[in-house]
Every structure is written in C-alpha cells, then in structure tokens.
Amino acid sequence: MQLQLTRPICFFDLETTGTNIAKDRIVEIAILKVYPNGNKESKTWLVNPEMPIPEEVSAIHGITDEQVAQEPTFKDLSKDVYKMIKDCDLGGFNSDRFDIPLLAEEMLRADVDFDMKSMAAIDVQTIFHKKEKRTLGAAYKFYCGKELVDAHSAEADTLATYEVLLSQLDRYPELENNVKKLAAFSTHRRFVDFAGFIALDEEDNEVFAFGKHKGKKVHEVLEKEPGYFGWILNADFPLYTKKVLTQIKLSGLNNKF
C-alpha cells in the first residue's frame, strides 16, 4: 500500500546523549522524506553534541565521543534540517513523547523558530501499541516479516518505521490512509507543548497537566498567581514549553485590550 499524501511527510529518528528532553543533545539524526508522488530522499547526519556521551548510552547506539568530535554541531546543521522538514508532516516511532520534543529543543537553542502548528505528526509506536503492544524490532518482525538489523542506528530505525506504517495500513483497513487521521489516532493525549506539561481539556482550553495546578486553566492560574509564570520560566522546563506558556500569557493580555 502507498501512503496517501497531500504534502511531503518526513520520517525521522534521533540518537542522543540520553533521554532528558531539556538537557540531552542529538548525536545522530536521520530523515526519510516521502513525497506525494512516491519519490523519496534521505539524509543522515552525525552531530557533535558539545557534551560527553555517557558510556552506557554509547553501548546502546554505538556512537562515541571520538566519532562525533569533528562533526558539525546541531546549530551548524539546524538550517539544513529545518529546510528538509519545513512544510512537511512528521512521522516517527515514539516521536510524540521523545523525538519531536527533543528536536524542538535543539531547534530553539539554535534560534530556529520551530513550530508544529501546521504539522501533523504520526507516531507509529502509538498505533503499534494500540494494536499489538511491542517494540520497533518486534513491530518490524510482526508487520514486515523481517529482522531489524542495526537496531538503534537512526537510519535503520527510520526506514523500518516507514515500512511498518505502510504494513499497518495494509493490515488494518479501519485505519484511514490520511496523515491527519493517522496523526489523531497515534496521539495519546492532546498537548499544546511537546513535553506534556500543558494539555487541552474537552472544551479545548489550555490546562496545566502537572503539579499543584493540574487540570486548571492556564490563563486563570497566570492571572491569579503571576509568580507561577516566572517560576516556570526560571525552572528546568523545556524551552518549547516556556515558549507556549509565553504565547498563552501574551494572548491573555491582548484579549484584555
């Protein structure tokens, strides 16, 4: 089955220094861009994270400090990466909860105004977990009948993710071959930011999804407790979360005038 597209979609995968979205950095990024006419292009970059890669992490993806020492930083690559994904939808495996939030952080650190408002994002892992509840290697075996060689290689994982999605469309006729519908199906909860600190309630109001104000409307909290905004801006929250919170606050101020 071919994926029905109205615009390009970029499947991507990151290898990183760890799993902390706010602090860890990318060491490898692979992108597979699929066009509506079926054409594809791919690109893989090794990235100097400007911080040590822990030995236990190198043991997983095989990328060491020595390998990336002379590679460009993400800031050096950011414009090329952004150019490749601009005006595209995104696809990945566990991308909603990890790859997209971390990519957004790296983009903002590089002064690229990365915004997902016009992008649909398909998380193939979520579709898989809703249907079968396994790992990428098991998904590849289950859907494609092949062993995933070089797992934790960004390039191999990216290609496998794309092939798994095509096989999922073949296997589940109830899945609509439409990027926006697949993105909606592969979403766990509706969040305004990537890291899941600000969510949307049933009436599409922005609400805090953590802490003492969990479930409360953001604009009401910021109005009643202005110091909470400053605390979040100065605390160890992801940059994109801070950006979204600032946009909500400014929107509230504009509505008063």
Side-chain angles (χ1 to χ4, degrees):
M1 179 179 288
Q2 294 296 316
L3 194 57
Q4 292 181 7
L5 302 173
T6 56
R7 65 176 186 171
I9 182 169
C10 288
F11 292 87
F12 79 104
D13 186 71
L14 307 177
E15 302 303 337
T16 66
T17 58
T19 58
N20 187 313
I21 290 168
K23 293 181 178 180
D24 280 304
R25 301 290 190 268
I26 295 170
V27 299
E28 186 181 31
I29 178 170
I31 301 175
L32 173 66
K33 188 170 186 176
V34 183
Y35 291 87
N37 63 5
N39 290 344
K40 305 180 189 72
E41 66 173 299
S42 62
K43 181 69 178 176
T44 301
W45 294 272
L46 281 173
V47 185
N48 183 340
E50 301 181 278
M51 66 181 291
I53 306 172
E55 289 184 9
E56 62 272 20
V57 177
S58 289
I60 294 173
H61 54 49
I63 300 170
T64 64
D65 291 333
E66 292 74 20
Q67 285 178 271
V68 296
Q70 303 303 317
E71 297 295 336
T73 65
F74 188 83
K75 185 166 184 143
D76 295 331
L77 296 169
S78 58
K79 290 183 180 178
D80 290 335
V81 174
Y82 185 66
K83 182 179 179 181
M84 191 165 184
I85 66 175
K86 188 176 183 293
D87 298 324
C88 298
D89 294 316
L90 297 178
F93 197 86
N94 194 32
S95 50
D96 280 357
R97 287 178 288 182
F98 182 71
D99 297 83
I100 290 175
L102 202 150
L103 179 63
E105 290 298 292
E106 290 277 39
M107 286 289 192
L108 291 174
R109 288 188 202 105
D111 298 320
V112 176
D113 190 19
F114 183 70
D115 203 310
M116 282 284 296
K117 288 180 181 177
S118 64
M119 294 177 169
I122 300 174
D123 192 330
V124 173
Q125 185 193 60
T126 301
I127 296 174
F128 181 46
H129 283 181
K130 284 185 175 182
K131 296 294 186 180
E132 307 296 341
K133 302 186 186 301
R134 305 245 179 103
T135 63
L136 177 57
Y140 198 52
K141 177 71 172 177
F142 182 85
Y143 289 111
C144 304
K146 295 184 278 188
E147 296 292 338
L148 179 54
V149 180
D150 293 331
H152 297 295
S153 155
E155 187 172 3
D157 288 356
T158 297
L159 181 58
T161 299
Y162 171 60
E163 290 185 31
V164 166
L165 177 58
L166 296 183
S167 294
Q168 286 174 333
L169 289 169
D170 281 329
R171 181 176 288 266
Y172 306 118
E174 69 274 19
L175 285 180
E176 190 169 342
N177 193 343
N178 174 282
V179 168
K180 292 189 183 298
K181 296 291 179 64
L182 290 169
F185 185 81
S186 65
T187 300
H188 286 282
R189 289 184 60 190
R190 298 189 303 153
F191 292 109
V192 184
D193 66 331
F194 296 130
F197 290 105
I198 303 172
L200 290 174
D201 64 15
E202 293 180 354
E203 297 176 347
D204 287 338
N205 298 304
E206 294 109 343
V207 297
F208 284 110
F210 74 100
K212 65 179 182 178
H213 293 305
K214 185 175 182 178
K216 296 180 183 178
K217 295 178 182 177
V218 173
H219 70 88
E220 291 181 357
V221 172
L222 297 184
E223 186 172 340
K224 294 177 182 177
E225 192 178 335
Y228 199 61
F229 174 74
W231 172 73
I232 291 177
L233 289 191
N234 291 311
D236 191 23
F237 285 89
L239 295 176
Y240 197 85
T241 299
K242 295 177 182 180
K243 175 183 176 180
V244 168
L245 190 65
T246 301
Q247 290 173 337
I248 295 172
K249 182 176 177 63
L250 291 175
S251 176
L253 290 174
N254 290 335
N255 289 337
K256 289 184 177 181
F257 296 101

